[in-house]
Amino acid sequence: MSRRSLHNPAPAAATLRARLDRARGAAADAATDALLIGPGSDLRYLLGQAGGSFERLSVLVVPARDSSGAVPTLVLPALEKPGYADVPTDELGIEVATWVDGEDPYRMVADRLGRNPGRVAVSDTMAALHVLRLRDAVAGAEQTLAGPVLRQLRMRKDAAELAALRRAAEAIDRVHARMGEWLRPGRTEAEVGADITEAIVAEGHERADFVIVGSGPNGASPHHDVSDRVIEAGDVVVVDIGGPIPEGYNSDSTRTYAVGEPAPGVADTYAVLQRAQSAAVAAVRPGATAHDVDAAARDILTDAGLGELFIHRTGHGIGLDVHEEPYIMGGNDLPLEPGMAFSVEPGVYDAGRWGARIEDIVVVTADGVEPLNTRPHELTVLPA
Ligand code: ZN
Ligand code: ZN
Ligand code: ZN
């Protein structure tokens, strides 16, 4: 086994083959002639390799199942080919077509699409510079997004994907379990964040993707990063952390800590938040909608007069991306299905004063829910 595959374990060829077949079927169902998948998590899902070129076009052309005789083709700059050495292209029935600077790769893609394709779907993250040139090269075809086609596959995780998400969750739980080593008065958020970043890697992640340490008033900014603010006794601190494990699947978990006894009133508000979060987790089951899960949390906060302080959706899907479908929010009537994985993370944000959030990743099971994060949900009071 090469060094690369040791570091980035890829799914078995049979798994990738099944995904590619399903992607071709999903494209046919969406009346789309082909999916054009650039570097990123969609490509990693299909090939076990995310790729990486930017201004040079790399694209997997996935013809719809019923397009007669068309073969999936990986169009690559010749200099990027070694990066795909571990992709089992033969077993996947993928042809590799390389190009060198000076050649027109957009024309190569057009040539693979057969006569007069009516609709091609480009991956959501493809750079505009490629999207527009493909539009010129395949004039006459409608361009749509491949995300809505592939999400039918990616939202429903298989057993190996769920096992990877479980390992990621256990790793981030081990980091939260050590918070008392780092979080104390007199240290800056940035100092605490640096220690957390190191621990995220030490506990089994490939890297830390985000480290939010929101102390005192900074906790009221849901996507705060870290700052040079010095943590004080009595602060409430929101710690939201995560990153990918080598298989590419992500962790994402928030716990809220108090450094010494917090101000009066914090405990009561926090107790409502904790009830809201556990009610939302309990609402997760096959057939419930994403809207239902959001409402379970939001109704409790609203009834307690805290609805105005909950300024974001209840959660997001997670997998090869930290944020992916399904989004757990009001108005999303998507019925939940076994294998879906997403966060449940209501929060309260009292601008200028303090904030709190509780976030677990959960999986929809055959008859209910499996929370992957298992650290205590209470406000953890650390010594000041
Ligand atoms: Zn977020
Ligand atoms: Zn988070
Ligand atoms: Zn999250």
Side-chain angles (χ1 to χ4, degrees):
M1 194 191 289
S2 74
R3 202 181 142 77
R4 165 183 231 98
S5 44
L6 268 176
H7 281 265
N8 288 314
T15 301
L16 298 175
R17 170 114 213 177
R19 288 178 185 174
L20 195 59
D21 284 346
R22 275 188 288 138
R24 299 188 67 180
D29 292 347
T32 299
D33 296 84
L35 310 176
L36 304 180
I37 307 300
S41 52
D42 285 338
L43 197 66
R44 185 163 188 175
Y45 182 79
L46 294 172
L47 297 184
Q49 165 67 263
S53 60
F54 181 69
E55 84 285 3
R56 289 185 174 100
L57 182 72
S58 296
V59 66
L60 177 65
V61 181
V62 183
R65 183 175 285 150
D66 45 14
S67 41
S68 48
V71 174
T73 306
L74 185 56
V75 175
L76 287 180
L79 82 170
E80 300 288 356
K81 197 179 173 197
Y84 293 79
D86 290 335
V87 177
T89 46
D90 290 347
E91 285 163 273
L92 298 180
I94 292 175
E95 218 168 84
V96 179
T98 59
W99 61 278
V100 294
D101 296 334
E103 288 184 305
D104 181 357
Y106 307 97
R107 181 62 18 229
M108 291 173 70
V109 171
D111 289 346
R112 306 265 158 183
L113 293 177
R115 292 165 62 83
N116 305 320
R119 181 182 292 154
V120 296
V122 299
S123 44
D124 291 13
T125 55
M126 186 181 282
L129 73 98
H130 298 312
V131 173
L132 296 186
R133 297 200 54 186
L134 284 166
R135 185 174 297 177
D136 290 343
V138 195
E142 181 195 356
Q143 277 184 339
T144 57
L145 290 175
V149 178
L150 286 179
R151 81 174 168 213
Q152 307 303 333
L153 283 63
R154 287 186 53 186
M155 275 196 307
R156 303 179 186 97
K157 270 73 179 175
D158 66 24
E161 293 182 283
L162 295 175
L165 283 169
R166 224 171 264 127
R167 281 196 296 281
E170 287 162 4
I172 209 68
D173 280 1
R174 289 194 295 272
V175 178
H176 272 297
R178 295 176 54 191
M179 207 53 61
E181 294 176 30
W182 313 305
L183 198 54
R184 53 178 179 271
R187 304 193 77 206
T188 67
E189 292 173 355
E191 286 167 343
V192 174
D195 289 338
I196 293 172
T197 299
E198 211 173 285
I200 286 175
V201 175
E203 296 295 351
H205 293 82
E206 189 175 68
R207 61 172 193 279
D209 207 39
F210 53 93
V211 174
I212 296 173
V213 181
S215 66
N218 291 339
S221 165
H223 275 176
H224 180 71
D225 187 355
V226 295
S227 77
D228 289 330
R229 183 180 184 278
V230 176
I231 293 162
E232 296 167 19
D235 276 354
V236 175
V237 186
V238 177
V239 179
D240 184 355
I241 52 180
I245 60 170
E247 290 90 335
Y249 289 82
N250 286 280
S251 65
D252 181 7
S253 178
T254 310
R255 287 295 182 267
T256 300
Y257 300 86
V259 181
E261 281 309 313
V266 165
D268 288 350
T269 300
Y270 188 90
V272 178
L273 176 65
Q274 193 180 333
R275 263 201 297 130
Q277 201 266 350
S278 67
V281 171
V284 175
R285 73 181 75 88
T289 66
H291 173 101
D292 295 336
V293 175
D294 182 83
R298 203 167 299 278
D299 288 352
I300 288 175
L301 288 161
T302 302
D303 289 349
L306 299 170
E308 301 276 291
L309 303 186
F310 178 23
I311 55 176
H312 55 70
R313 65 191 175 211
T314 290
H316 53 83
I318 189 166
L320 291 171
D321 287 314
V322 182
H323 287 186
E324 59 180 51
E325 301 267 6
Y327 292 103
I328 308 302
M329 60 186 179
N332 184 359
D333 292 325
L334 179 81
L336 301 178
E337 293 177 41
M340 289 182 175
F342 49 85
S343 70
V344 175
E345 52 174 312
V348 288
Y349 308 98
D350 192 349
R353 298 182 61 215
W354 69 289
R357 179 164 65 257
I358 305 169
E359 175 180 25
D360 293 325
I361 302 304
V362 304
V363 172
V364 184
T365 63
D367 54 3
V369 61
E370 175 193 356
L372 301 189
N373 299 105
T374 57
R375 294 291 305 156
H377 295 82
E378 288 73 24
L379 183 67
T380 300
V381 181
L382 299 171

